[in-house]
Amino acid sequence: MTHIPSPAEELRLIDTELWQLDARRAQLLTRRAWLIAALQREQQPTPAPRAEPRPEATAPRVQNVLLLLGGVLLTIAAIAFTLVSWGHLGIAGRALVLGTVTLAVLAAPVPLLKRGLRSTAESVAGLGLVLTVLDSYALHEAALTGTDGTGYAAVASAVLAGLWAGYARGLGALRLPLPAALVAAQLPLPLGAFAAGADPYAVTAALLMTSGLDAVIALRATARSVRVTTAVGAYGLGGWGVLAAGWLSWTASGPSAAARAAALLTLAAAIALGAARRLPQPAVARGTASAGGLLLVAAGGGLLRTALPGGWTVPAHLLCGIALLAAVRGRLPEPVRRGLVQASAAVQALAVLWAVPLVLVTLLGPLGWIERPWSGVPSDARAAVTVHTPWPPYPGQALLVLVTVAAVLALAVRNEIWRPRALTGALGLAWAACVAVPAVLELPYVLTLLLLGAVTAAAVFLPTPWTATAFGLATSLNLCFLSLASQSATLTVLSALTALFVTVSGRPRLTPVMAPAALLHATALACATGAAADWQPAHTALLVLVVPLAAALLAARFGESPATVPVEVTGAVAGLLAVGLALTDLPMLALVLSSAGVIAAGTAARPDRRPVGYAAAALFLLATWVRLAAWDVTTPEAYTLPVSVPALLVGAWRRHREPRTSSWTAYGPGLAATLLPSLAAAWGDPQWTRPLLLGAAALLVTLLGARHRLQAPLVLGGTALVLDALHELAPYLVQAADALPRWVPPALAGLLLLTVGATYERRIRDVRRVREVLGKLN
């Protein structure tokens, strides 16, 4: 039998079970908290080991900084003692203090070097050098106050330089004393010159001599600190000396002063060239030699300037620059030789630059005749080129410079690489001189034209093709502008130049340039001929059209030659000029356009120039329109039908060749070109003829589109027909609208809105029904 406990017993059992459950729950919660803590510790990143601070400066660097600061502070203290506390001691005390301190400081590096403290020894030695300077100052203030300060400084700097040099020799391990001695050695000569009351020439000589000594030491020394110190001194003092000598040469008022300045410049040049011979770096040696060569030129040119009249300064320097080339023939190192050549080239380039204004006035001055053509023959060539520009000074000297440099380039340059360039430069300078000769010599006007014509002919027949092209064209342009002073000269020059360039065009290599040049000159000749015959510009345009015709014939003859495109472009430019000339006369403009269209059509006959046919069609169309405008024709169909008919024919031919071509591509442009302008005119035409004809044409186009199932005729024709019909019915519609009551339009609008709303509602209802049916099926 099953034992059924009493209620008290059952309560006790239940309490026991609950107590055990609570205990187990507390145990599980404790375990859970421990697990959570363990997981959190695993997820936290392990802290990196603490990095030691990295030093930002090395120990030797810290040592040098400390020693430098210590030396500076001691130097400041010594200066303060000398300047402030000096007066509190007697003569014996002063001498004892300074002498003792200076000797002790100068002797201190000896034991320091024996212990290997070289940096400390350098700092102490630097302090000792400063103390010697203070000693010299104290000596002057105490015992030598009556002496001149500048002279005393010169002697003191020389004595200190010697003492420091001896000190450096005695302590060979120190690097500071010898550069310091060299720095002090820069002062004795310049300060001595100032103390002696020398003139600027002597002071400049002192600077240059010091620079020369620096250069000698820099070239012979082996220690880097010595070479750097003396090189800085050589370039610094030498630069100041060269500037002073150049200023003295430029401001010299007589031969004696110029000679003294030239001697100084020669001294500087000798120092530079002597240094260039021994410099190990080729680039530095070449630059130094170039500077020396320029100094020699300045010396010789400055000496010659005072002996020659005004205007010969540049030729004198040029002569000295050319003389440098003679030195190149000697036994010189290659960098020095190249430096002298560069110096000579720089002098010649500067001389040519000085002569450029003469060439510019000669070439550009004749442009002034454009404003006053055929106003009269000038008195001479100079008057012809100075119509609106001033004449430059010293033209004869500038011409001499051009000729001289051209001769040097032609005769002196023998290098295989540079000789072709030099010959080109010589040829250009010779050409510039030939162009400038008539104006410089004030030759007669006619003789000037003949001379320039000869230069042009000679230039275009030179064996160097592209140089000949450039110089020949430039001279021909200058000649054309010069010839504008006289009518007969203009016609003669243009005729001769046209014939010349036509002849030269036979050379195959020059044809791409010379043939267009011949056409351009022929164009100018045609314009000049028409002006000489007192023709109107529109009539002159017919004469200009000869040039495009000739260009088209030449291009057809050239075929695939490189000259074909330049010739055709030149012909097109001439054609545009003809059109511009005929703008003031509509009948003549129509004739010019049609003639240009004939030329373009002839060009389009070539297989490789088929696209020119579009230009020919456009020219014919423009000619037709201009002719209609000249006849005061206001009917738009007269302008549009000449476009539409060919366009429709071309479209039909294209669809015949390519049946898949869209009707919009084939017939759309042609139909729109006539229907749209005619429709616009019909809406503003009060007569009935145009609307009737337009409606008939639109009906015909619509029927053809329907017959052949073509969209473009159907849409365009139907649209034009509907709009034309609306135009015809518009008066009646207006009358009907006036007859209706005012409430009818709002009522009609409301009815329309109701109809649309009902339709919209019906569609929504049908959608709902379909949705319900689909829901039942699911």
Side-chain angles (χ1 to χ4, degrees):
M1 295 178 63
T2 303
H3 173 71
I4 299 176
S6 62
E9 182 67 19
E10 185 177 2
L11 179 61
R12 185 184 63 82
L13 291 175
I14 291 174
D15 289 340
T16 303
E17 291 291 337
L18 289 175
W19 179 84
Q20 292 178 353
L21 289 175
D22 290 338
R24 181 60 178 169
R25 185 174 183 276
Q27 181 182 3
L28 292 177
L29 288 175
T30 302
R31 180 63 178 174
R32 180 177 180 276
W34 183 88
L35 291 175
I36 291 175
L39 290 175
Q40 290 178 350
R41 285 195 300 270
E42 291 180 0
Q43 293 177 357
Q44 290 180 353
T46 304
R50 183 178 180 182
E52 295 295 332
R54 183 179 180 181
E56 297 181 355
T58 61
R61 183 171 297 179
V62 173
Q63 165 195 304
N64 293 333
V65 171
L66 293 177
L67 293 175
L68 178 62
L69 292 176
V72 170
L73 293 176
L74 289 175
T75 302
I76 294 173
I79 295 173
F81 170 78
T82 304
L83 298 178
V84 178
S85 301
W86 179 258
H88 299 288
L89 299 175
I91 296 177
R94 300 171 188 174
L96 180 62
V97 171
L98 279 178
T100 303
V101 173
T102 302
L103 291 176
V105 172
L106 291 176
V110 176
L112 291 175
L113 289 175
K114 291 182 179 181
R115 297 191 178 189
L117 302 176
R118 181 174 178 176
S119 298
T120 306
E122 292 280 359
S123 299
V124 175
L127 176 61
L129 299 180
V130 174
L131 289 176
T132 57
V133 176
L134 296 177
D135 288 340
S136 62
Y137 169 75
L139 179 62
H140 179 268
E141 292 296 322
L144 301 174
T145 55
T147 59
D148 177 62
T150 306
Y152 178 80
V155 175
S157 60
V159 173
L160 289 176
L163 291 176
W164 292 351
Y167 184 69
R169 188 172 182 179
L171 298 177
L174 296 180
R175 293 177 294 181
L176 181 61
L178 187 55
L182 294 173
V183 172
Q186 310 298 312
L187 303 177
L189 289 179
L191 291 179
F194 276 113
D199 58 4
Y201 295 93
V203 175
T204 304
L207 291 173
L208 293 175
M209 291 177 64
T210 306
S211 173
L213 294 175
D214 288 336
V216 171
I217 296 174
L219 292 172
R220 293 180 178 274
T222 56
R224 185 174 182 273
S225 59
V226 174
R227 285 189 283 109
V228 170
T229 303
T230 51
V232 171
Y235 282 108
L237 295 180
W240 283 109
V242 166
L243 291 176
W247 177 254
L248 292 173
S249 176
W250 183 257
T251 58
S253 57
S256 176
R260 297 172 66 185
L264 294 175
L265 290 172
T266 305
L267 174 61
I271 295 172
L273 293 175
R277 292 174 63 92
R278 296 181 177 274
L279 284 171
Q281 298 88 354
V284 179
R286 186 167 57 251
T288 307
S290 298
L294 293 175
L295 291 173
L296 287 176
V297 172
L303 188 61
L304 293 175
R305 180 181 60 84
T306 58
L308 296 174
W312 289 93
T313 300
V314 174
H317 285 81
L318 176 62
L319 180 62
C320 296
I322 295 173
L324 281 180
L325 297 177
V328 179
R329 306 292 182 181
R331 296 180 180 180
L332 296 175
E334 181 62 23
V336 178
R337 182 182 294 108
R338 294 182 62 181
L340 292 177
V341 171
Q342 291 177 356
S344 177
V347 172
Q348 297 179 55
L350 291 174
V352 171
L353 186 63
W354 176 75
V356 164
L358 174 65
V359 180
L360 291 179
V361 170
T362 306
L363 292 176
L364 303 180
L367 292 175
W369 290 105
I370 297 177
E371 298 180 359
R372 41 187 299 187
W374 298 351
S375 58
V377 177
S379 59
D380 52 41
R382 184 174 298 183
V385 300
T386 55
V387 183
H388 293 294
T389 54
W391 184 245
Y394 312 121
Q397 291 84 340
L399 183 63
L400 178 62
V401 165
L402 295 175
V403 174
T404 304
V405 176
V408 171
L409 290 176
L411 300 176
V413 181
R414 298 296 180 183
N415 186 275
E416 295 181 358
I417 298 177
W418 287 97
R419 182 160 180 78
R421 306 175 187 177
L423 290 177
T424 303
L427 184 61
L429 293 175
W431 167 79
C434 292
V435 173
V437 161
V440 173
L441 301 181
E442 298 183 89
L443 298 180
Y445 177 71
V446 177
L447 182 59
T448 300
L449 296 181
L450 293 175
L451 179 60
L452 292 179
V455 171
T456 304
V460 297
F461 283 108
L462 284 176
T464 51
W466 298 116
T467 305
T469 301
F471 294 154
L473 291 176
T475 312
S476 67
L477 290 176
N478 181 258
L479 183 58
C480 290
F481 289 119
L482 272 178
S483 66
L484 290 176
S486 171
Q487 175 179 319
S488 58
T490 302
L491 296 176
T492 304
V493 166
L494 290 176
S495 300
L497 290 177
T498 301
L500 174 64
F501 286 116
V502 167
T503 304
V504 181
S505 298
R507 300 171 65 181
R509 296 184 63 180
L510 297 180
T511 303
V513 176
M514 291 301 177
L519 293 174
L520 289 175
H521 285 83
T523 304
L525 178 61
C527 295
T529 303
D534 291 331
W535 289 359
Q536 295 294 328
H539 295 83
T540 305
L542 293 176
L543 191 59
V544 175
L545 278 179
V546 176
V547 177
L549 178 60
L553 296 176
L554 286 175
R557 181 180 177 182
F558 290 154
E560 297 181 356
S561 171
T564 302
V565 174
V567 167
E568 291 176 341
V569 171
T570 307
V573 171
L576 290 176
L577 177 61
V579 172
L581 292 174
L583 286 177
T584 57
D585 190 343
L586 291 182
M588 191 60 64
L589 178 60
L591 179 59
V592 170
L593 290 172
S594 60
S595 302
V598 171
I599 298 173
T603 303
R606 294 163 47 193
D608 57 336
R609 292 293 184 268
R610 297 299 187 194
V612 183
Y614 295 103
L619 289 171
F620 284 130
L621 179 61
L622 289 175
T624 304
W625 287 356
V626 171
R627 173 57 62 183
L628 293 173
W631 288 339
D632 294 331
V633 176
T634 57
T635 304
E637 289 79 10
Y639 298 91
T640 57
L641 286 176
V643 179
S644 297
V645 173
L648 292 174
L649 293 177
V650 171
W653 173 77
R654 184 173 180 180
R655 278 189 59 85
H656 178 72
R657 293 283 302 272
E658 300 178 8
R660 293 185 179 181
T661 303
S662 172
S663 63
W664 291 102
T665 303
Y667 303 119
L671 293 175
T674 296
L675 290 177
L676 297 181
S678 298
L679 184 61
W683 272 80
D685 191 353
Q687 304 297 326
W688 59 273
T689 307
R690 177 179 280 109
L692 178 60
L693 295 177
L694 176 62
L699 178 61
L700 178 60
V701 170
T702 304
L703 294 176
L704 289 175
R707 171 68 177 80
H708 297 283
R709 299 180 181 178
L710 299 177
Q711 290 183 0
L714 187 61
V715 172
L716 293 176
T719 302
L721 182 61
V722 170
L723 293 177
D724 185 68
L726 288 176
H727 172 264
E728 293 301 312
L729 295 175
Y732 303 102
L733 294 177
V734 172
Q735 293 177 3
D738 291 337
L740 292 175
R742 292 183 180 272
W743 56 267
V744 173
L748 293 176
L751 182 60
L752 176 62
L753 292 176
L754 289 176
T755 304
V756 172
T759 305
Y760 188 76
E761 184 181 7
R762 186 179 68 253
R763 290 181 179 179
I764 293 176
R765 184 194 58 193
D766 295 341
V767 170
R768 288 177 179 175
R769 289 180 178 178
V770 171
R771 185 182 301 169
E772 292 176 358
V773 171
L774 293 176
K776 292 179 179 179
L777 291 177
N778 291 333

